[in-house]
Amino acid sequence: MSTKNQISVEIPETVISDVNKKLQECRSLLAPYLQGLTPEQRESIFKMGDKTVATVQKVEDYTETNPEFAPSYMDQPEFHKDVAVVNGLSPLRNLANQLVSDLSDTIMLAGNEALLSALLYYGSVKEASSKGVATAKPIYEDLSKRFTRKGNRPASQE
């Protein structure tokens, strides 16, 4: 029985190393400007989403064409800086999300194929061990610890 191979690539270690360096560079360049949030802050903060981006941009336009309506307690320079940060970082976030999605899909696919092959090998070793092949027994005993099924199965009676 063979498995369908959907991915067959070898990524050179130099490519992995170069990408890692470039991603670290990007992270270092942006670090002074980025802010982390706690899970509680992320949950409670009023968020600007896809639907509100246009609203905020329109308000920014109006604050420039009709500044007389901006309340005195509104910090307009900070408002403009915040809008600029959103506008500047959003394309980077979109690109990073695309990269994360592509990485995740590739890892998932290669991992699936590797696991299926490992299961085929384990099945072969298990069968050989059950037939008394001496060299298969220690391999089976070692691997059987890793290939136990988890879940709410009733204990088998032997």
Side-chain angles (χ1 to χ4, degrees):
M1 174 180 150
S2 69
T3 58
K4 181 181 177 190
N5 193 40
Q6 297 180 60
I7 185 168
S8 180
V9 296
E10 292 181 28
I11 304 171
E13 192 56 42
T14 56
V15 171
I16 298 289
S17 179
D18 287 349
V19 169
N20 189 33
K21 285 178 191 169
K22 290 176 192 290
L23 288 173
Q24 290 294 348
E25 243 179 79
C26 291
R27 188 174 184 199
S28 294
L29 285 169
L30 287 171
Y33 310 103
L34 302 180
Q35 177 71 44
L37 296 174
T38 66
E40 294 80 21
Q41 289 171 319
R42 291 183 67 81
E43 181 70 28
S44 65
I45 198 169
F46 190 50
K47 298 166 191 74
M48 184 170 131
D50 288 340
K51 293 180 181 179
T52 54
V53 169
T55 302
V56 170
Q57 289 172 341
K58 188 168 280 221
V59 168
E60 183 180 35
D61 292 343
Y62 280 129
T63 62
E64 291 183 18
T65 59
N66 298 88
E68 68 273 13
F69 297 114
S72 60
Y73 47 86
M74 176 183 179
D75 190 338
Q76 287 189 60
E78 282 301 316
F79 171 68
H80 294 296
K81 282 171 52 178
D82 292 339
V83 172
V85 168
V86 171
N87 291 338
L89 291 181
S90 289
L92 299 179
R93 181 193 55 198
N94 294 342
L95 181 60
N97 284 340
Q98 290 171 343
L99 179 60
V100 167
S101 178
D102 292 345
L103 289 169
S104 295
D105 290 350
T106 303
I107 290 168
M108 185 180 295
L109 187 56
N112 169 265
E113 291 181 4
L115 182 56
L116 289 174
S117 292
L119 286 168
L120 289 173
Y121 179 83
Y122 173 68
S124 178
V125 167
K126 182 178 179 180
E127 183 176 342
S129 177
S130 73
K131 301 247 190 261
V133 177
T135 55
K137 185 177 181 193
I139 298 170
Y140 171 69
E141 288 173 352
D142 183 37
L143 292 179
S144 66
K145 299 171 199 162
R146 299 185 176 274
F147 285 96
T148 57
R149 292 184 185 241
K150 293 184 173 36
N152 296 335
R153 293 186 316 148
S156 62
Q157 296 176 339
E158 295 183 36

